[in-house]
Amino acid sequence: MSIPTGIPNCPRGLEYLTTIDQLLVKQKVELLEAFTGFETNNKFIIKNALGQKVYFAAEDNDCCTRNCCGPSRPFDMRVFDNFQQEVIHMHRPLACSSCLFPCCLQSIEVSAPPGNVIGTIEQEWSICSPSFRILNHVGDTVMRIEGPFCTYSICGDVEFNVVSLTGEKIGKISKQWSGLAREIFTDADFFGINFPLDLDVRMKAVLLGATFLIDAMFFEKSANQESDRPGML
């Protein structure tokens, strides 16, 4: 995908997001992880609805943290454009997603360009269904994400709805069914992100960060073993 030009007040690298209302996120299959269960850094190809490559994302983490902390591990996610320039940086600190620990819930901070915070995703305390609030660069809540009671994918998509502060659905993050073999033997997932075309590009980038957080919390397997369960316990 070529870079749109002549866009004022747009962080460098986010010009790609001004003309699209959908992103497709495909996690690359890591053969070492698939055959041995040894955790490797996750990598993702991010495309538009036409299948054109928009970004490439790579997890930045050390071997000990990945294999000791599993899906709960802290990480930095670096997002690169087609010229291999880092345009978005995401940081997930170490925390717990269980409702038994309401003071230490999940979050991820998004910067674009790296070092300039444009938004944060914070998990909200919940027993039954996952929910998140999306904050802008000054800390104001601008949107929310509401997930399903059961996030286990059984031959179908799992949808997390993006809603306005008044409860109106304005988009969604979908974990798409990727086939029986891929679902059973790997944690390499497919995601679709839908949002309004006129949404602020910063919030589009933050929704991409929300996708990586949701993937880590609900669809990342430890040693290729499924650990998901209904609710947030």
Side-chain angles (χ1 to χ4, degrees):
M1 182 179 177
S2 58
I3 305 177
T5 58
I7 302 170
N9 194 31
C10 181
R12 178 181 57 82
L14 300 191
E15 298 92 346
Y16 294 98
L17 302 178
T18 58
T19 60
I20 59 178
D21 61 1
Q22 182 181 30
L23 287 173
L24 304 175
V25 181
K26 179 180 180 181
Q27 185 174 349
K28 296 184 67 176
V29 175
E30 300 292 339
L31 294 180
L32 175 64
E33 185 173 328
F35 287 114
T36 68
F38 185 85
E39 287 290 337
T40 58
N41 277 327
N42 292 328
K43 299 179 179 66
F44 302 85
I45 300 294
I46 302 160
K47 300 181 179 181
N48 61 17
L50 299 177
Q52 298 172 315
K53 181 181 175 183
V54 182
Y55 298 119
F56 172 78
E59 179 184 356
D60 187 2
N61 212 332
D62 62 83
C63 177
C64 180
T65 301
R66 288 195 307 272
N67 290 280
C68 290
C69 298
S72 298
R73 64 184 180 266
F75 61 73
D76 289 283
M77 188 71 69
R78 304 174 66 192
V79 181
F80 301 88
D81 63 12
N82 290 322
F83 298 96
Q84 299 183 351
Q85 299 293 316
E86 184 179 2
V87 294
I88 307 173
H89 189 98
M90 306 169 184
H91 175 68
R92 178 202 188 192
L94 181 64
C96 180
S97 60
S98 172
C99 64
L100 300 177
F101 301 93
C103 296
C104 189
L105 297 178
Q106 294 287 332
S107 65
I108 190 167
E109 183 182 75
V110 182
S111 301
N116 179 44
V117 176
I118 59 172
T120 308
I121 304 96
E122 295 181 349
Q123 180 188 2
E124 296 179 319
W125 185 83
S126 173
I127 296 177
C128 296
S129 302
S131 63
F132 303 85
R133 55 180 172 266
I134 299 176
L135 285 64
N136 61 16
H137 66 288
V138 296
D140 295 331
T141 301
V142 293
M143 294 181 290
R144 296 182 62 255
I145 298 176
E146 298 176 347
F149 172 69
C150 181
T151 55
Y152 186 66
S153 178
I154 306 175
C155 300
D157 296 350
V158 180
E159 294 188 351
F160 291 74
N161 292 322
V162 181
V163 299
S164 67
L165 296 183
T166 59
E168 178 187 3
K169 180 180 176 181
I170 58 175
K172 65 180 179 179
I173 298 172
S174 303
K175 192 275 182 183
Q176 301 172 347
W177 173 253
S178 56
L180 185 62
R182 192 179 180 108
E183 292 284 344
I184 292 178
F185 296 110
T186 77
D187 58 2
D189 299 312
F190 294 146
F191 288 90
I193 314 171
N194 296 85
F195 38 69
L197 181 63
D198 59 353
L199 184 67
D200 188 328
V201 291
R202 296 168 180 82
M203 292 301 101
K204 293 180 181 181
V206 173
L207 287 177
L208 178 60
T211 303
F212 293 133
L213 180 60
I214 288 170
D215 177 42
M217 289 178 61
F218 302 106
F219 305 108
E220 182 78 4
K221 300 176 183 177
S222 180
N224 285 340
Q225 298 297 313
E226 184 66 62
S227 59
D228 191 34
R229 61 183 64 87
M232 295 303 300
L233 293 174

